[in-house]
């Protein structure tokens, strides 16, 4: 990154929260499903009911962000631990240590940025100095764009857990969205929306995330043979279907020989059937025949005398 890159927080977020070690998607269709999953996850995190209650509340948004960060910090390692126990039945998990540590670092980095943003907002709001308010406000705006862009990135790759297993991001997104919605259903806290609207908006996001995650996992299984319960150290997935190799030669044309291939017997090789002008059998056809005189004699005189 250059110095000018830091003036664009979304570019910094892309470099920080989507590093090069995160594998690329296998095909564009799965990437589109991830984008839909990110949108549904954003709806679950921000909460449509917050807007419908009577305005967009920044304080409640920050509280939801802190709650989501705490849930991620506790739930992500627990879910990954359960899957490691499942994968141990078919292979060793020691080779997964490096991608797991990278994903954990990315998770801690994102949670640290969220906590730093919340502290910055509280400090700027409680300060009575104009200079602190101005500087903190500019920094806060930069941090808000940075954290939101980073949230979009980590929601798509889910902290790079695709480097551990291709199906792991879809699983983590499903578990997280349901865990964020279940407390509201259990406590009956529908945020003043009424029973019907509250259930729709509380369950809408996790149901949508689950449907998209199942479609993503099903496509990975059908096209590439990747299953969630299978050990990730199995055969590597192919990048895509290999097109069939066309048959040799032009279509509807019978196979033809090479017109420049050597003849099985050269017609001018000496011997039988060889050069017709070579001496011997099958040689010069004019050999042995009477030759005409080279200098015919002229008669002496007019009457041959």
């Amino acid at each position: 990154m250059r110095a000018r890159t830091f003036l664009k927080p979304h570019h910094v977020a892309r470099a920080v929260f989507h590093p090069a070690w995160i594998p690329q998607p296998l095909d564009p269709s799965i990437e589109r499903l991830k984008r839909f999953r990110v949108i549904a996850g954003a709806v679950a995190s921000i909460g449509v009911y917050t807007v419908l209650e009577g305005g967009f509340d920044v304080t409640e948004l920050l509280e939801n962000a802190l709650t989501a960060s705490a849930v991620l910090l506790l739930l992500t390692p627990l879910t990954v631990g359960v899957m490691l126990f499942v994968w141990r039945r078919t292979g060793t998990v020691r080779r997964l240590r490096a991608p797991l540590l990278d994903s954990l670092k990315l998770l801690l980095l994102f949670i640290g940025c969220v906590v730093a943003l919340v502290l910055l907002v509280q400090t700027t709001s409680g300060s009575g100095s104009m200079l602190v308010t101005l500087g903190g406000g500019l920094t806060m705006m930069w941090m808000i764009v940075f954290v939101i862009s980073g949230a979009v990135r980590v929601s798509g790759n889910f902290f790079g857990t695709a480097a551990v297993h291709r199906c792991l991001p879809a699983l983590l997104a499903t578990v997280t969205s349901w865990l964020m919605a279940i407390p509201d259903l259990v406590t009956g806290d529908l945020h003043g929306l009424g029973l019907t609207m509250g259930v729709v908006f509380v369950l809408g996001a996790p149901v949508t995330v689950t449907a998209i995650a199942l479609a993503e996992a099903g496509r990975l299984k059908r096209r590439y043979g990747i299953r969630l319960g299978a050990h990730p150290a199995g055969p590597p997935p192919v990048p895509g279907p290999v097109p069939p190799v066309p048959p040799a030669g032009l279509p509807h044309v019978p196979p033809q020989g090479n017109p420049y291939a050597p003849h099985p017997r050269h017609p001018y090789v000496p011997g039988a059937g060889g050069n017709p002008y070579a001496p011997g059998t099958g040689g010069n056809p004019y050999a042995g025949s009477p030759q005409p005189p080279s200098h015919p004699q002229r008669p002496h005189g007019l009457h041959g005398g």
Side-chain angles (χ1 to χ4, degrees):
M1 294 186 298
R2 300 179 180 179
R4 291 183 300 177
T5 308
F6 289 93
L7 299 177
K8 302 176 181 179
H10 59 286
H11 289 175
V12 180
R14 180 177 58 186
V16 172
F17 294 111
H18 196 89
W21 53 265
I22 296 179
Q24 296 296 325
L26 294 178
D27 59 29
S29 60
I30 296 179
E31 187 65 18
R32 286 193 295 267
L33 289 176
K34 287 184 178 181
R35 290 196 186 102
F36 292 140
R37 176 163 53 82
V38 169
I39 295 174
V43 172
S45 300
I46 297 176
V48 180
Y49 47 82
T50 303
V51 181
L52 295 179
E53 281 185 37
F56 188 78
D57 191 359
V58 179
T59 304
E60 188 170 355
L61 174 62
L62 295 177
E63 292 177 357
N64 290 340
L66 284 177
T67 304
S69 299
V71 170
L72 289 174
L73 185 59
L74 295 176
L75 187 63
T76 302
L78 180 62
T79 307
V80 173
V82 172
M83 294 309 304
L84 289 177
F85 180 77
V86 173
W87 294 333
R88 285 188 62 181
R89 297 180 300 179
T90 55
T92 179
V93 296
R94 184 174 301 177
R95 61 185 303 177
L96 304 178
R97 183 179 304 172
L100 284 173
L101 290 178
D102 292 336
S103 299
L104 180 60
K105 293 176 184 177
L106 206 59
L107 172 63
L108 295 177
L109 178 61
F110 177 74
I111 294 176
C113 292
V114 173
V115 174
L117 176 60
V118 174
L119 294 177
L120 179 62
V121 171
Q122 293 177 353
T123 303
T124 305
S125 301
S127 175
S129 174
M130 181 64 66
L131 184 60
V132 174
T133 303
L134 181 59
L138 293 176
T139 307
M140 183 177 63
M141 293 179 61
W142 191 95
M143 284 291 297
I144 288 176
V145 177
F146 174 74
V147 170
I148 292 177
S149 301
V152 173
R153 293 290 174 180
V154 298
S155 298
N157 56 53
F158 221 94
F159 308 102
T161 50
V164 181
H165 197 289
R166 290 281 185 174
C167 295
L168 200 53
L171 173 65
L172 291 173
T174 303
V175 175
T176 303
S177 61
W178 277 105
L179 194 61
M180 293 290 294
I182 286 178
D184 292 338
L185 295 176
V186 173
T187 59
D189 184 11
L190 302 179
H191 303 272
L193 293 177
L195 180 61
T196 303
M197 294 296 293
V199 170
V200 168
F201 282 108
V202 170
L203 290 181
V207 169
T208 305
V209 171
T210 302
I212 295 174
L214 290 176
E216 180 181 345
R219 189 161 298 184
L220 287 172
K221 180 179 178 180
R222 290 192 305 270
R223 293 190 177 185
Y224 306 99
I226 302 175
R227 297 177 300 168
L228 179 62
H231 195 278
V238 295
V242 180
V245 180
L250 298 175
H252 312 295
V253 176
Q256 301 178 4
N258 186 2
Y260 303 102
H263 198 272
R265 191 175 186 88
H266 199 279
Y268 302 106
V269 175
N275 189 354
Y277 302 101
T281 307
N284 190 351
Y286 302 104
S289 61
Q291 298 292 332
S294 57
H295 298 285
Q297 296 181 359
R298 298 178 63 183
H300 298 283
L302 296 175
H303 303 281

